[in-house]
């Protein structure tokens, strides 16, 4: 009877020992898998952030170009308006001189 109890205890101990080792290995495998997934997600997030940064930089450069073109166009329009106003003043002055000559008879 004693041998039967000791044998049962021995078998139970072996069963518990192998079961606990398997659980540890599975836990380690699960931990490794989770770490790999987290690392991969981190890498993908980093790549996405780099792409967003690149797109934002390109957009900022395009906006800068458009603003420079708008400033140049506005400057050209202002110069044209000044020239046109100058011509209008000259034409008005010439017209006034002609009218004075016409009225005075010279």
């Amino acid at each position: 009877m004693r041998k039967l109890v000791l044998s049962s205890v021995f078998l139970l101990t072996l069963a518990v020992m192998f079961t606990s080792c398997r659980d540890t290995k599975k836990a380690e495998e699960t931990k490794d898998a989770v770490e790999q997934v987290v690392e991969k997600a981190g890498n993908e997030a980093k790549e996405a952030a780099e792409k967003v940064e690149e797109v934002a930089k390109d957009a900022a450069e395009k906006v800068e170009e458009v603003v420079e073109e708008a400033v140049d166009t506005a400057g050209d329009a202002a110069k044209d308006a000044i020239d046109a106003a100058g011509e209008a003043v000259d034409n008005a002055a010439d017209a006034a001189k002609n009218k004075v000559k016409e009225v005075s008879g010279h």
Side-chain angles (χ1 to χ4, degrees):
M1 178 82 172
R2 191 171 186 201
K3 287 182 180 181
L4 181 62
V5 171
L6 288 175
S7 295
S8 297
V9 170
F10 179 72
L11 289 175
L12 180 61
T13 303
L14 283 176
V16 169
M17 188 171 70
F18 284 120
T19 303
S20 66
C21 288
R22 281 192 211 141
D23 289 343
T24 303
K25 287 181 183 178
K26 285 182 183 179
E28 287 178 18
E29 289 174 1
T30 303
K31 179 183 171 187
D32 291 341
V34 169
E35 287 176 355
Q36 288 175 357
V37 168
V38 169
E39 184 178 336
K40 185 176 180 181
N43 290 340
E44 289 177 2
K46 184 179 178 182
E47 289 175 12
E50 289 171 356
K51 286 181 182 179
V52 167
E53 182 180 353
E54 183 179 323
V55 168
K57 185 178 178 181
D58 290 346
E61 289 174 0
K62 299 251 187 223
V63 167
E64 185 177 342
E65 289 174 11
V66 169
V67 168
E68 287 175 1
E69 288 177 18
V71 168
D72 291 343
T73 302
D76 293 343
K79 286 178 185 176
D80 291 344
I82 290 170
D83 291 344
E87 285 181 32
V89 169
D90 290 342
N91 290 340
D94 289 343
K97 285 181 189 177
N98 290 338
K99 193 63 165 176
V100 168
K101 284 182 184 178
E102 185 179 308
V103 170
S104 65
H106 286 76

